[in-house]
Amino acid sequence: EKYCQGLGLDIGFGGDPLTGNCTGWDFEHGDAQVLEGLQNETFDFVYSSHTLEHMRDPAVALKNWWRVIRPGGYLLLYIPHRDLYEKKLELPSRWNDDHKHFFLPERDEPPDTLGLRPLIERSLSSFAIEYVKECRDGWTISAPEIHSDGEYSIEAVIRKNSDLTG
């Protein structure tokens, strides 16, 4: 409720948008990394669940997702946590052939793992990170060869500053 007020965009929505006030964006709408045809500062929030790891260039994706958010709006990200989901250090993904990157909350580990907070800090301007957190409710399976149960993700909320000078 706090972050999803006004008009939203749900990137990678799979036909089931996050809320009734969301427009969905998926394969049939075009490249999610670019969001071609969407005007700058159109949405009050952008939500993306388990999509960023599929982008060729996550920094470009974040910049384009950011450009369509109005000042004062929010970017909400939910992505698989490398150690909870992948349970390995290098690509390819054990569970999804289309994953192009792994993610950790706070640090990069080249060549295949990006830190979400460092990626945000490198890619965006005029922002405040509300939080970056690990989501592991119900996660009990640590064995690498068995798919995880429960939550196995990283969640982040970033606010676009109204003062675009800083």
Side-chain angles (χ1 to χ4, degrees):
E1 292 180 8
K2 180 177 180 179
Y3 304 115
C4 298
Q5 300 295 315
L7 180 61
L9 177 66
D10 186 342
I11 299 172
F13 79 117
D16 183 24
L18 176 67
T19 63
N21 56 333
C22 278
T23 297
W25 186 281
D26 222 315
F27 295 108
E28 63 270 19
H29 302 102
D31 188 345
Q33 184 170 288
V34 180
L35 300 180
E36 185 174 342
L38 291 183
Q39 298 294 319
N40 293 349
E41 300 181 357
T42 303
F43 298 97
D44 298 298
F45 67 94
V46 169
Y47 172 78
S48 174
S49 176
H50 292 261
T51 305
L52 190 61
E53 66 276 11
H54 297 276
M55 299 294 106
R56 290 177 313 282
D57 189 334
V60 169
L62 286 180
K63 288 174 186 175
N64 278 304
W65 299 357
W66 194 244
R67 78 171 171 79
V68 301
I69 300 171
R70 293 182 180 120
Y74 294 94
L75 175 60
L76 299 93
L77 300 171
Y78 195 69
I79 57 176
H81 188 297
R82 182 195 71 190
D83 296 344
L84 300 177
Y85 178 74
E86 302 292 353
K87 300 184 253 183
K88 61 184 284 197
L89 301 177
E90 295 179 353
L91 287 166
S93 168
R94 186 184 318 271
W95 311 113
N96 189 313
D97 292 340
D98 190 53
H99 284 187
K100 295 169 178 54
H101 309 276
F102 293 162
F103 288 91
L104 290 171
E106 301 290 340
R107 71 184 184 282
D108 295 322
E109 287 188 10
D112 297 324
T113 301
L114 298 170
L116 185 56
R117 184 182 299 268
L119 177 64
I120 291 165
E121 291 171 347
R122 288 190 299 267
S123 304
L124 304 181
S125 60
S126 191
F127 67 90
I129 296 175
E130 298 284 311
Y131 65 84
V132 175
K133 70 177 185 178
E134 183 178 281
C135 300
R136 63 183 316 152
D137 288 350
W139 183 85
T140 63
I141 300 173
S142 60
E145 59 284 341
I146 301 173
H147 197 286
S148 295
D149 58 349
E151 284 188 277
Y152 42 76
S153 299
I154 304 165
E155 183 178 79
V157 175
I158 307 102
R159 182 178 45 81
K160 190 171 193 176
N161 290 340
S162 295
D163 172 13
L164 296 180
T165 62

